[in-house]
Amino acid sequence: MEWTGARYEDMPTVQVETRINASPERVWTLVSDIELMPELSPELQSVEWQHGVTGPALGAQFIGRNEHDALGKWSTTSHIVDLDPPRTFGWAVEDPDNPTATWRFTVVPDGDGTLLRQWMQLGPARSGLSLAIDRMPDKEQKIVFVRLREFETNMTAAVEAIKKLVEDTGQVDR
């Protein structure tokens, strides 16, 4: 990731991608399985569907419990806001109309395989990162850059782990 000088109010984004030797349907099975995500993330510790929901549906909610050395422990409620199987799976964190962050997987057919993209956007609502910026407003651009770089590293590891799961096993069963 290159320095952009972005501020939180710019609603900066990160996107990573990988090509997977599998059908979009096989890849979709993994990216839409939120209960798999803690296995792929050093920060996300657990997830739990809410209100009796057991899988992705527009408007469905899940709680994510996170932990970060510098930021501590916290939980968020996410809302499924983009669902088009087997193409897109996206969620907004906290308020779906004014999220603290938005996340999305996109699954694109690519010849005999699939291009998997993961994208995220900070804001527009305030988040835990806003608290760090409030304490050190003169370092806002650096704080945002460091956090985006962390997201990029973790997202790259996640899409590569999905690739490995699909390609190494030839199936999606866990």
Side-chain angles (χ1 to χ4, degrees):
M1 166 168 283
E2 293 184 26
W3 173 263
T4 63
R7 296 183 174 280
Y8 193 87
E9 68 187 17
D10 297 330
M11 296 183 353
T13 64
V14 174
Q15 179 171 291
V16 300
E17 65 183 34
T18 193
R19 186 176 187 290
I20 301 175
N21 293 320
S23 70
E25 293 76 16
R26 285 184 46 216
V27 174
W28 171 260
T29 301
L30 292 182
V31 301
S32 62
D33 180 1
I34 66 159
E35 294 169 341
L36 171 66
M37 295 305 136
E39 295 176 32
L40 309 179
S41 171
E43 194 167 302
L44 182 62
Q45 302 299 298
S46 67
V47 294
E48 180 182 344
W49 287 111
Q50 298 296 290
H51 312 295
V53 174
T54 59
L58 277 176
Q61 298 175 23
F62 62 90
I63 301 287
R65 291 173 186 81
N66 302 277
E67 186 172 351
H68 185 283
D69 288 343
L71 302 172
K73 293 181 181 184
W74 71 98
S75 295
T76 59
T77 300
S78 292
H79 306 258
I80 307 300
V81 295
D82 188 0
L83 185 66
D84 183 15
R87 293 175 194 85
T88 58
F89 177 55
W91 60 97
V93 181
E94 298 303 346
D95 180 349
D97 296 321
N98 187 33
T100 60
T102 305
W103 294 80
R104 180 175 54 240
F105 282 106
T106 305
V107 179
V108 180
D110 184 35
D112 62 348
T114 300
L115 185 62
L116 174 60
R117 292 185 183 112
Q118 187 177 17
W119 172 92
M120 73 81 53
Q121 176 181 44
L122 288 174
R126 290 175 54 83
S127 70
L129 194 60
S130 303
L131 301 175
I133 293 167
D134 290 348
R135 287 192 301 269
M136 299 175 283
D138 57 320
K139 296 183 179 179
E140 177 179 5
Q141 291 170 304
K142 183 175 182 179
I143 291 167
V144 168
F145 177 72
V146 167
R147 188 64 171 136
L148 292 175
R149 198 171 51 201
E150 285 178 332
F151 284 139
E152 181 182 49
T153 298
N154 294 343
M155 292 162 58
T156 298
V159 299
E160 290 302 322
I162 291 168
K163 173 184 176 90
K164 184 171 176 42
L165 279 170
V166 173
E167 290 182 353
D168 286 359
T169 64
Q171 59 187 14
V172 295
D173 298 325
R174 289 191 285 137

